[in-house]
């Protein structure tokens, strides 16, 4: 006997839950790509993507996953041999740095470990040490999906300004756009990257690069710009084909149009508030469990935790057992621990993550937490009492 039959909850940090409305919007015959609704829709998607990122800048759409957006952001702004400063707070900025290296850039990494955000004083020091302005960009993630830390993006802007450093501020919002508050223009971000399959609730396959005037200027001299990744024709397309660098991602566009409608029907600020509250419910449960047992949130300071995903330390190898139990018995799929230990080491099993991004509501999160509590009992992980009460209280407005 298993209790898993019924609607499942894929609570991994990407791809996220795809709403039925989005699935229905995609369920159609191939549309005409020469005229009609698809062509009329493309500019509205671009306009609404700018609203989601809170920018008056430009937006280029790629048929690619987040890795493609990483490459696009760099290839449009950099020349071979340019240097970039990478702020690593888990796993994902390091992934971006690998792309940079392979493009022929010089990469300097400051690694802040797996349990903290980027320390602004250390960034300031690194920038002051670069009087020659060798760094052409500072690369960071807003949410690191592995550690679940949230970096202080406005703070990084201040540090760049205080140092009088002209490097572009490039932010990976792939995990948390439309989950954590993000204000590209107000926060002085020059380049933002994101993808369709997380907060934007659409299957993987689309990614986006937003860029301001300063970044557009860098494009003028960037010798890494190539035909496919060039953002210029995509930002101001003279022809429909130029939006996408070729045939449009037809069904993804219908899905994305629907997900953007859902976001603005709810209201972007309300979407952010929903994520903030559901995240606090998750944290409250884990803090109660952890009060008497080995469970621990990876990021201690609530102000530095993402509202999109939560990384958990189990203190022993039961992380994998917990994931297995909820998958087999509760219809809940949790994320693996990422970047915390070598895959071949016993410690690899000591972690898991729960995503609460995108199309997620109170009953899903409370149900997931209840399922995790059942797994703790079934697997035999000691835990403190009151976790579900604490989570319910947060959802009740406490
Ligand atoms: C998911 C994710 C990526 C990678 O996106 P892909 O679509 O898998 O290439 C990059 N950065 C962050 C912060 C992510 O969460």
């Amino acid at each position: 006997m298993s209790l898993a039959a019924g609607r499942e909850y894929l609570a991994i940090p990407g791809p996220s839950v795809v709403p039925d409305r989005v699935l229905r919007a995609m369920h159609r015959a191939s549309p005409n790509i020469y005229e009609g609704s698809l062509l009329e829709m493309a500019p509205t998607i671009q306009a609404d993507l700018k609203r989601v990122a809170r920018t008056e800048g430009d937006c280029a759409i790629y048929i690619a996953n987040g890795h493609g957006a990483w490459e696009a952001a760099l290839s449009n702004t950099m020349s071979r041999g340019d240097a970039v400063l990478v702020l690593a707070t888990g796993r994902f900025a390091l992934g971006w740095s690998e792309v940079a290296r392979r493009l022929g850039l010089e990469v300097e990494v400051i690694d802040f470990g797996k349990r903290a955000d980027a320390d602004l004083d250390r960034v300031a020091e690194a920038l002051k040490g670069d009087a020659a302005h060798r760094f052409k960009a500072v690369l960071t993630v807003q949410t690191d999906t592995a550690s679940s830390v949230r970096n202080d993006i406005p703070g990084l802007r201040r540090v760049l300004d205080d140092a009088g450093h002209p490097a572009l501020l490039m932010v990976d919002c792939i995990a948390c756009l439309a989950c954590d508050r993000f204000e590209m223009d107000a926060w002085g971000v020059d380049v933002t990257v994101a993808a369709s399959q997380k907060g934007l609730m659409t299957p993987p396959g689309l990614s986006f690069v937003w860029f301001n005037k300063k970044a557009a200027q860098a494009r003028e001299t960037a010798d890494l710009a190539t035909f496919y990744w060039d953002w210029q024709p995509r930002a101001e397309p003279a022809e429909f084909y130029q939006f996408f660098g070729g045939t449009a991602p037809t069904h993804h566009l219908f899905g994305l149009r629907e997900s953007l409608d859902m976001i603005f029907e709810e209201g972007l600020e309300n979407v952010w508030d929903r994520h903030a509250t559901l995240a606090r419910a998750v944290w409250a449960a884990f803090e109660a469990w952890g009060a008497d047992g080995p469970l621990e949130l990876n990021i201690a300071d609530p102000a530095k935790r993402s509202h999109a995903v939560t990384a958990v330390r189990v203190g022993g190898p039961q992380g994998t057992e917990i994931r297995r139990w909820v998958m087999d018995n509760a219809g809940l799929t949790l994320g693996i621990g990422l970047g915390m230990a070598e895959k071949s080491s016993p410690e690899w099993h000591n972690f898991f993550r729960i995503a609460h991004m995108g199309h997620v509501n109170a009953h899903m999160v409370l149900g997931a937490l209840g399922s995790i509590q059942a797994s703790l009992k079934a697997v035999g992980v000691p835990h403190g009492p009151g976790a579900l009460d604490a989570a319910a209280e947060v959802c009740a407005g406490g």
Side-chain angles (χ1 to χ4, degrees):
M1 198 279 286
S2 160
L3 301 172
R7 176 156 285 215
E8 54 200 32
Y9 175 12
L10 183 72
I12 69 173
S16 65
V17 175
V18 178
D20 287 346
R21 273 180 65 177
V22 171
L23 292 172
R24 276 198 299 274
M26 297 179 78
H27 190 100
R28 62 176 72 217
S30 285
N32 188 345
I33 60 165
Y34 307 122
E35 57 184 77
S37 57
L38 190 68
L39 274 76
E40 287 152 23
M41 201 169 63
T44 73
I45 287 177
Q46 200 182 30
D48 280 344
L49 285 169
K50 293 184 202 178
R51 285 170 73 199
V52 172
R54 292 277 170 103
T55 182
E56 306 274 308
D58 282 309
C59 176
I61 305 174
Y62 294 93
I63 303 179
N65 59 20
H67 281 65
W70 276 346
E71 184 154 335
L74 294 171
S75 66
N76 277 285
T77 50
M78 299 288 133
S79 296
R80 198 166 290 272
D82 279 352
V84 295
L85 179 64
V86 176
L87 312 180
T89 53
R91 162 88 171 246
F92 284 86
L94 288 172
W96 202 357
S97 77
E98 221 27 64
V99 174
R101 248 184 224 112
R102 292 283 290 275
L103 282 168
L105 301 179
E106 256 187 67
V107 175
E108 192 162 318
V109 176
I110 311 181
D111 197 335
F112 299 93
K114 300 174 197 308
R115 306 196 67 176
D117 62 335
D119 174 37
L120 298 182
D121 291 338
R122 278 182 68 191
V123 179
E125 218 172 285
L127 292 175
K128 279 184 195 122
D130 180 36
H133 296 164
R134 215 165 49 86
F135 298 130
K136 299 300 178 215
V138 174
L139 273 48
T140 188
V141 294
Q142 185 182 14
T143 286
D144 188 291
T145 324
S147 64
S148 71
V149 78
R150 182 156 46 91
N151 282 303
D152 176 4
I153 305 302
L156 284 169
R157 175 78 270 163
R158 274 196 305 279
V159 165
L160 276 158
D161 289 348
D162 289 349
H165 200 294
L168 295 168
L169 177 56
M170 297 196 185
V171 182
D172 168 347
C173 295
I174 296 173
C176 59
L177 191 77
C179 305
D180 284 304
R181 172 178 289 274
F182 180 73
E183 310 257 8
M184 179 168 171
D185 289 358
W187 294 357
V189 174
D190 298 303
V191 177
T192 302
V193 302
S196 53
Q197 77 271 26
K198 301 192 187 184
L200 295 178
M201 308 179 287
T202 303
L206 291 180
S207 58
F208 318 103
V209 180
W210 294 258
F211 55 96
N212 67 10
K213 285 205 170 66
K214 182 173 168 187
Q217 236 158 29
R219 164 71 187 77
E220 300 300 319
T221 53
D223 73 14
L224 287 173
T226 54
F227 176 86
Y228 187 76
W229 296 116
D230 192 355
W231 67 28
Q232 249 165 13
R234 292 167 187 260
E236 285 179 55
E239 285 187 52
F240 179 64
Y241 270 104
Q242 290 188 332
F243 267 115
F244 315 106
T247 308
T250 48
H251 290 69
H252 273 74
L253 292 177
F254 284 106
L256 182 61
R257 180 61 270 163
E258 194 69 23
S259 82
L260 290 166
D261 285 346
M262 290 174 71
I263 287 168
F264 291 113
E265 280 166 23
E266 183 177 352
L268 185 55
E269 303 260 353
N270 294 331
V271 171
W272 290 337
D273 287 348
R274 170 167 54 83
H275 281 85
T277 303
L278 294 176
R280 282 197 296 114
V282 170
W283 307 338
F286 278 96
E287 278 158 3
W289 286 324
D292 187 14
L295 285 185
E296 188 190 357
L297 291 172
N298 186 51
I299 302 299
D301 182 352
K304 316 251 154 144
R305 293 178 192 150
S306 173
H307 297 163
V309 58
T310 297
V312 178
R313 309 173 82 86
V314 181
Q318 292 92 346
T320 298
E321 287 175 63
I322 290 168
R323 281 196 302 107
R324 174 53 57 190
W325 193 92
V326 297
M327 205 162 12
D328 291 346
N329 296 285
L332 169 68
T333 306
L334 297 168
I336 58 171
L338 194 62
M340 295 294 168
E342 290 296 322
K343 183 123 202 227
S344 53
S345 72
E347 289 76 36
W348 190 82
H349 299 283
N350 297 13
F351 307 90
F352 67 85
R353 291 171 301 159
I354 174 168
H356 30 91
M357 57 173 60
H359 192 54
V360 177
N361 58 22
H363 86 70
M364 294 164 78
V365 166
L366 292 172
L369 294 171
S371 303
I372 291 169
Q373 174 145 323
S375 80
L376 298 178
K377 294 186 188 306
V379 170
V381 178
H383 54 279
L388 301 180
D389 281 345
E393 206 149 298
V394 172
C395 290

